[in-house]
């Protein structure tokens, strides 16, 4: 619903720029780790660790918000992946 999406966007905007970028590239644009690494000019290992930390931080922020009635991994029809099984 619109309220839940607003919550996600508000919490996403509270993340560091680097965290927002990596979530946008890997989760929303579906870039592979390799593609995201090239786009950001960073090593693949940095993509993986940054994405893991960014997802976890967003989950925590959503869990802390009292508006969220569903688990943070599934809000407003968007599922936050626990792991990206990208082989690259």
């Amino acid at each position: 619903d619109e309220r839940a999406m607003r919550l996600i966007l508000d919490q996403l905007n509270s993340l560091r720029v680097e965290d927002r970028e990596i979530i946008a590239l890997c989760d929303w644009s579906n870039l592979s780790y390799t593609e995201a690494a090239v786009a950001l000019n960073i090593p693949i290992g940095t993509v993986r660790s940054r994405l893991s930390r960014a997802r976890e931080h967003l989950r925590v922020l959503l869990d802390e918000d009292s508006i969220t009635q569903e688990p943070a991994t599934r809000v407003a029809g968007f599922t936050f992946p626990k792991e990206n099984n990208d082989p690259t």
Side-chain angles (χ1 to χ4, degrees), residues 42-73:
I42 59 176
I44 292 173
T46 302
V47 169
R48 289 180 176 155
S49 61
R50 192 178 289 176
L51 183 58
S52 178
R53 282 193 308 271
R55 286 174 177 163
E56 183 57 29
H57 190 191
L58 187 56
R59 276 190 206 98
V60 167
L61 290 173
L62 291 170
D63 281 341
E64 290 174 353
D65 197 304
S66 62
I67 296 172
T68 305
Q69 299 299 314
E70 301 179 56
T73 55

Side-chain angles (χ1 to χ4, degrees), residues 12 15 19-28 51 54 58:
L12 187 62
L15 296 177
D19 292 344
R20 289 193 309 260
E21 286 175 337
I22 203 71
I23 287 175
L25 291 174
C26 294
D27 290 339
W28 291 351
L51 183 58
L58 187 56

